[in-house]
Amino acid sequence: MAVDLEASWLKVLHDEFEKDYMLKLRQFLKEEKEAGHKVYPKGADIFNAFNHTPFTNLKAVILGQDPYHGTNQAIGLSFAVQKGVTVPPSLKNIYKELATDIPGFAVPTHGDLTPWADQGVLLLNATLTVEAGKPGSHQKKGWEIFTDTVIRKISEEKEGIVFLLWGKFAQAKAELIDAGKHHILKAAHPSPYSADSGFFGCHHFSKTNEILAKEGKAPIDWQIV
């Protein structure tokens, strides 16, 4: 199965694309398209997280669940949306935390987090596609097997990666990570329903940079222009 994936990730994940679950997932997505269902993100953006954050450059992982399901929102990066689209509530709360955690952080007017991805922050959703207007519609179709494998591969083949796990769903993935080799930061989800229960005040962005400094790696410039 040919896939347009950044070279260092393709080297790590090549075998996955020939496995039965991935072939079934590909068939499912083909049938969705043939049925006239609109799927987000667009095909060229499905693997954006990998293409912007090579395996060789990886420093941190922010794990989300599903892509946004609204018109022109999803860009293949967890929590991010296209420029010109209203910033979603969870991302607004992420910006609020950044404003109190990172000195001089100015809240952006858009939600395109590509600058983070380009610096080594893997913005990974557990499910990489969704049907328009139907949140969770592509769960349990195979994507979770793939992204769980991604997390395991990072754990096995890298060292000193910072995993930011927000909310119960993301925190359940901690069992895939070797805590002896990596750094796991946990907090409540930034959703308006839970941000007051431990996301605000978590200081995960400054903590990530402190960890990276100790690892001898360049910090993340969290500011987005």
Side-chain angles (χ1 to χ4, degrees), residues 49-80:
F50 304 92
N51 292 332
H52 279 280
T53 310
F55 189 75
T56 49
N57 296 350
L58 185 61
K59 295 179 180 179
V61 180
I62 297 179
L63 186 65
Q65 190 164 0
D66 281 341
Y68 292 114
H69 56 87
T71 303
N72 296 327
Q73 286 184 302
I75 58 173
L77 305 175
S78 62
F79 294 100

Side-chain angles (χ1 to χ4, degrees), residues 96-178:
K96 286 182 182 178
E97 174 61 19
L98 276 158
T100 63
D101 187 28
I102 301 297
F105 181 83
V107 174
T109 58
H110 64 85
D112 185 352
L113 304 180
T114 301
W116 295 358
D118 289 339
Q119 294 178 77
V121 182
L122 183 67
L123 298 169
L124 180 66
N125 278 318
T127 303
L128 299 189
T129 58
V130 68
E131 183 179 345
K134 295 185 177 181
S137 52
H138 288 188
Q139 291 178 3
K140 299 181 180 178
K141 301 296 184 182
W143 279 128
E144 295 93 339
I145 301 173
F146 177 73
T147 54
D148 280 0
T149 299
V150 169
I151 295 169
R152 287 194 189 95
K153 289 286 189 180
I154 294 170
S155 180
E156 292 167 2
E157 299 188 25
K158 303 289 284 187
E159 290 188 9
I161 303 300
V162 185
F163 288 85
L164 290 76
L165 306 181
W166 300 332
K168 292 181 180 179
F169 176 85
Q171 289 169 19
K173 303 294 184 180
E175 66 181 20
L176 305 174
I177 304 164
D178 184 346

